[in-house]
């Protein structure tokens, strides 16, 4: 058996505890390009430091060994709007397959799984549910927010334009939610080619997943709330903003150390004694992933304004637990989302709905702040067990004692509001819809969920819709190039699970609508997955 290293290291010691390190890693995208470094750090912590005189040696005195379960990663950002996006959602199950296969074939004792980009997080959760071994999920971390100002906003580059003959001033670049919006703005001539290039170059600073509360950060929070990640770990930035080279943050390294320590504690339990056997059984994935835990996750999804992709990922995870534990009753159903939505207000003011970024939430306390407010109003079940061996309620008590950032009582702030003064009332976030177009259900999300009625403008593919919108005049006016006008319903066919195939994700079309100034005046109906990064009304 070999440890995955540039120079393979042959393990000569048997009868040891073996930990699978789940590693969906690639050098191609910032979401996951630092995960190998984190995984290597975890391996050293688990196995012990190498012999400094022999770079190809391992610590043979260690009772813990590791095996890397490598898995592919598909970038949603790089594939969006392209045929390659059809590989995105299927990659979730392929990653889970890869980790499960490695874990089971090497008969590992525990799983330490790293994740970053959108599909890698639900994938490692699925792997944990399949293996039902002691499992800890370590999120690679959120990216830092985009810059307040781009470099051309303050220098003397060619992007400076004259507003009059004697007063040269800078043409400022807006702070876009993503590069797609900037592309739409470029097509509308709001910014020029050089400014678009600057946005592309400077938008993402260092490693980490998209900085807003989009799919990756949403699913990281789901892992923490479900109990398979350590408390306050899902909002930590991947890199340090004080480092000019954007090194991995000290906080993230500490999280890895804490995850390794907890995993070692679990592995060292003496399961021959009834007490410690019960303790270990209580923190297995099938014991943690209960119906109450899933209801907690859905509640936090609504309270924080998370991605609609969480709906399909949570349902898939629940099915995986049911299938592998022999359950006959469903852990989670689509109707549960509607029931929980009706009682859960939106209290987080995070991008894309609000102005704040996930790293800013971490600075004031992270997800535990949200859990405290929800628990205070009996909207979540505080008795649910977590990987720490303690309940959610016990974890929150420990954080109040250990970290000075937490006050004894929750204090509302601009990022996290109180239940009594929410950002939005219940049932104003994700909505599950049924109708003639979607008898089995559809998912929608928009500010206030407005009603909308208008003529349908039908496209037979995402590409066809995108190209038509990008070519047309600004604001859906009455120019001869206008195809989509204010008041229209854009219908995109042949892009669902079967039609595409693969149920790709669509950002390009809605980015183009935002760039054309149509986002508040049109609706979109499609079989494509929509993470609702932009608040175009979509079903």
């Amino acid at each position: 058996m070999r440890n995955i290293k540039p120079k393979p290291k042959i393990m000569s010691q048997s009868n040891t505890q073996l930990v699978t390190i789940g590693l969906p890693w690639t050098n191609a995208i910032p979401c996951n390009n630092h995960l190998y470094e984190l995984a290597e750090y975890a391996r050293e912590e688990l196995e012990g430091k190498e012999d400094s005189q022999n770079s190809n040696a391992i610590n043979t005195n260690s009772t813990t060994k590791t095996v890397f379960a490598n898995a592919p990663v598909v970038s949603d950002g790089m594939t969006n709007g392209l045929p390659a996006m059809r590989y995105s959602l299927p990659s979730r199950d392929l990653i889970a397959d890869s980790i499960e296969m490695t874990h089971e074939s090497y008969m590992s004792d525990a799983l330490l799984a790293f994740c970053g980009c959108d599909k890698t997080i639900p994938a490692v959760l699925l792997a944990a549910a399949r293996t039902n071994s002691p499992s800890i999920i370590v999120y690679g971390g959120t990216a830092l927010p985009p810059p307040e100002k781009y470099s051309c906003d303050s220098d003397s580059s060619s992007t400076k334009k004259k507003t009059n003959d004697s007063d040269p001033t800078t043409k400022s670049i807006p702070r876009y939610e993503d590069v797609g919006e900037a592309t739409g703005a470029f097509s509308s001539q709001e910014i020029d080619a050089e400014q678009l290039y600057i946005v592309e170059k400077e938008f993402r600073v260092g490693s980490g997943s998209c900085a807003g509360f989009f799919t990756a950060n949403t699913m990281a929070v789901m892992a923490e709330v479900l109990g398979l990640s350590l408390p306050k770990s899902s909002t930590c930035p991947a890199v340090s903003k004080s480092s000019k080279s954007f090194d991995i943050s000290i906080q993230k390294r500490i999280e890895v150390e804490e995850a390794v320590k907890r995993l070692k504690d679990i592995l060292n339990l003496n399961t021959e004694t009834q007490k410690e056997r019960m303790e270990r059984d209580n923190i297995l994935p099938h014991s943690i992933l209960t119906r109450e835990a899933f209801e907690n996750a859905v509640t936090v999804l609504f309270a924080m304004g998370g991605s609609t992709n969480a709906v399909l990922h949570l349902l898939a995870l629940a099915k995986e637990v049911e299938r592998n534990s022999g359950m006959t009753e469903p852990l989670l159903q689509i109707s549960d989302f509607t029931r929980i939505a009706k009682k859960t207000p939106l209290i987080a003011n995070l991008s894309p709905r609000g102005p704040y970024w996930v790293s800013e939430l971490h600075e004031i306390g992270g997800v535990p702040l949200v859990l405290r407010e929800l628990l205070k109003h009996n909207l979540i079940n505080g008795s649910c067990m977590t990987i720490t061996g303690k309940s959610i309620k016990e974890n929150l008590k420990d954080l109040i004692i250990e970290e000075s950032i937490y006050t004894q009582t929750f204090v509302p702030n601009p990022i996290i509001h109180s239940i009594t003064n929410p950002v939005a009332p219940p049932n104003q976030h994700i909505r599950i819809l049924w109708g003639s177009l979607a008898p089995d259900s559809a998912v929608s999300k928009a500010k206030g969920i407005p009603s909308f009625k208008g003529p349908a403008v039908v496209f037979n593919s995402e590409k066809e819709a995108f190209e038509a919108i990008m070519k047309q005049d600004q604001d859906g006016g009455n120019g001869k190039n206008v195809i989509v006008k204010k008041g229209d319903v854009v219908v995109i066919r042949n892009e669902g699970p079967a039609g595409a195939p693969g149920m790709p994700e669509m950002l390009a079309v809605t980015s183009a609508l935002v760039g054309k100034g149509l986002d508040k005046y049109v609706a979109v109906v499609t079989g494509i997955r929509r993470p609702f990064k932009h608040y175009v009304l979509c079903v």
Side-chain angles (χ1 to χ4, degrees):
M1 185 169 66
R2 295 187 174 187
N3 215 352
I4 309 301
K5 291 283 286 179
K7 294 181 180 179
K9 301 177 180 181
I10 305 298
M11 292 184 180
S12 58
Q13 184 172 328
S14 58
N15 299 320
T16 60
Q17 294 169 321
L18 187 60
V19 175
T20 300
I21 296 183
L23 186 58
W25 174 84
T26 178
N27 63 335
I29 57 174
C31 313
N32 292 56
N33 65 1
H34 60 306
L35 295 190
Y36 188 85
E37 184 177 344
L38 288 175
E40 270 295 284
Y41 186 58
R43 184 193 66 78
E44 290 181 357
E45 292 293 311
L46 283 163
E47 295 185 356
K49 303 296 183 181
E50 298 176 350
D51 181 354
S52 60
Q53 302 299 317
N54 184 357
S55 61
N56 199 39
I58 62 173
N59 183 353
T60 55
N61 295 320
S62 173
T63 59
T64 305
K65 304 299 180 191
T66 59
V67 57
F68 278 47
N70 297 295
V73 180
V74 175
S75 166
D76 285 14
M78 293 173 67
T79 59
N80 220 286
L82 301 171
M85 173 48 84
R86 286 148 179 76
Y87 288 94
S88 174
L89 185 57
S91 76
R92 181 195 68 184
D93 289 28
L94 180 59
I95 295 165
D97 291 344
S98 300
I99 295 174
E100 176 196 10
M101 180 178 292
T102 301
H103 184 87
E104 296 295 345
S105 62
Y106 286 97
M107 297 173 284
S108 293
D109 300 290
L111 171 64
L112 180 64
F114 291 84
C115 51
C117 195
D118 294 6
K119 306 307 171 293
T120 64
I121 309 166
V124 297
L125 288 168
L126 290 176
R130 292 179 185 180
T131 62
N132 199 34
S133 297
S135 303
I136 298 181
I137 310 302
V138 178
Y139 180 43
T142 181
L144 296 175
E148 291 285 351
K149 290 186 176 182
Y150 293 95
S151 60
C152 68
D153 288 353
S154 57
D155 65 17
S156 57
S157 69
S158 62
T159 59
K160 287 198 170 187
K161 304 199 182 273
K162 290 187 177 182
T163 55
N164 59 57
D165 292 338
S166 60
D167 181 28
T169 58
T170 298
K171 184 180 179 183
S172 179
I173 303 176
R175 197 185 195 199
Y176 297 106
E177 292 284 355
D178 64 26
V179 178
E181 285 185 19
T183 303
F186 169 69
S187 74
S188 302
Q189 299 182 332
E190 292 181 13
I191 59 174
D192 58 32
E194 184 176 353
Q195 289 173 311
L196 176 59
Y197 171 72
I198 290 170
V199 173
E200 291 175 337
K201 185 174 68 172
E202 299 181 10
F203 184 85
R204 178 65 65 85
V205 284
S207 298
S209 299
C210 298
F213 201 50
F214 309 130
T215 302
N217 281 326
T218 296
M219 290 310 301
V221 169
M222 296 296 97
E224 178 178 337
V225 175
L226 286 167
L228 288 179
S229 290
L230 296 178
K232 201 190 167 188
S233 63
S234 61
T235 54
C236 179
V239 298
S240 172
K241 62 182 177 182
S242 62
S243 169
K244 292 183 179 179
S245 57
F246 301 114
D247 297 324
I248 292 176
S249 68
I250 294 174
Q251 286 178 294
K252 188 55 63 177
R253 289 186 178 276
I254 292 173
E255 279 180 25
V256 173
E257 292 172 3
E258 291 175 345
V260 168
K261 181 180 182 302
R262 178 56 188 150
L263 209 55
K264 282 186 172 182
D265 289 343
I266 295 170
L267 290 173
N268 288 334
L269 289 172
N270 182 4
T271 54
E272 292 183 3
T273 67
Q274 183 178 7
K275 179 181 178 181
E276 295 194 8
R277 184 166 62 251
M278 288 179 63
E279 183 180 342
R280 179 161 175 160
D281 290 347
N282 285 339
I283 50 83
L284 294 178
H286 290 176
S287 298
I288 290 175
L289 298 174
T290 62
R291 178 170 178 79
E292 292 76 17
F294 278 104
E295 290 184 344
N296 283 349
V298 174
T299 300
V300 172
L301 173 67
F302 289 124
M304 293 186 65
S307 168
T308 53
N309 276 324
V311 176
L312 63 92
H313 293 318
L314 289 173
L315 288 169
L317 179 60
K319 287 290 184 185
E320 204 69 69
V321 177
E322 294 165 19
R323 185 181 303 114
N324 286 277
S325 64
M327 295 183 65
T328 56
E329 295 295 323
L331 280 171
L332 186 67
Q333 301 180 83
I334 193 70
S335 58
D336 292 323
F337 288 86
T338 297
R339 174 177 57 82
I340 295 171
K342 291 179 179 179
K343 63 179 182 178
T344 309
L346 176 69
I347 62 173
N349 201 16
L350 297 170
S351 172
R353 185 168 186 139
Y356 297 99
W357 305 89
V358 171
S359 60
E360 294 174 310
L361 170 59
H362 188 75
E363 291 173 0
I364 64 168
V367 172
L369 275 186
V370 179
L371 295 177
R372 286 179 65 185
E373 180 65 0
L374 294 173
L375 185 60
K376 175 184 174 183
H377 293 271
N378 297 314
L379 289 172
I380 60 170
N381 188 326
S383 65
C384 288
M385 184 59 62
T386 71
I387 194 62
T388 65
K390 298 180 180 180
S391 67
I392 289 176
K393 190 173 183 179
E394 290 170 330
N395 286 338
L396 293 175
K397 285 182 178 179
D398 288 347
L399 284 171
I400 293 171
I401 295 170
E402 295 169 5
E403 298 197 28
S404 59
I405 193 172
Y406 298 103
T407 55
Q408 287 296 322
T409 57
F410 171 74
V411 178
N413 57 79
I415 303 177
I416 302 298
H417 291 212
S418 66
I419 292 292
T420 54
N421 183 32
V423 176
N427 220 24
Q428 297 295 305
H429 184 48
I430 295 172
R431 295 283 288 272
I432 308 301
L433 310 176
W434 287 267
S436 57
L437 286 177
D440 294 327
S441 73
V443 180
S444 179
K445 182 172 90 170
K447 287 185 178 179
I449 315 295
S451 59
F452 199 98
K453 184 178 181 180
V457 181
V458 181
F459 298 96
N460 286 316
S461 69
E462 179 187 7
K463 179 182 178 182
E464 183 181 305
F466 177 73
E467 290 178 348
I469 294 166
M470 289 293 285
K471 289 178 182 177
Q472 75 175 41
D473 297 335
Q474 176 73 356
D475 292 333
N478 295 317
K480 61 182 179 181
N481 291 327
V482 171
I483 295 176
V484 177
K485 304 183 296 297
K486 292 181 180 179
D488 285 345
V489 177
V490 177
V491 178
I492 304 174
R493 304 172 63 235
N494 305 316
E495 296 287 5
M503 202 179 186
E505 185 175 278
M506 178 184 69
L507 288 177
V509 171
T510 47
S511 294
L513 290 171
V514 171
K516 294 292 185 180
L518 288 167
D519 48 307
K520 298 178 182 178
Y521 307 104
V522 300
V524 178
V525 176
T526 180
I528 308 174
R529 284 184 301 115
R530 271 294 300 126
F532 299 86
K533 207 170 189 178
H534 316 107
Y535 273 92
V536 180
L537 175 58
C538 291
V539 177

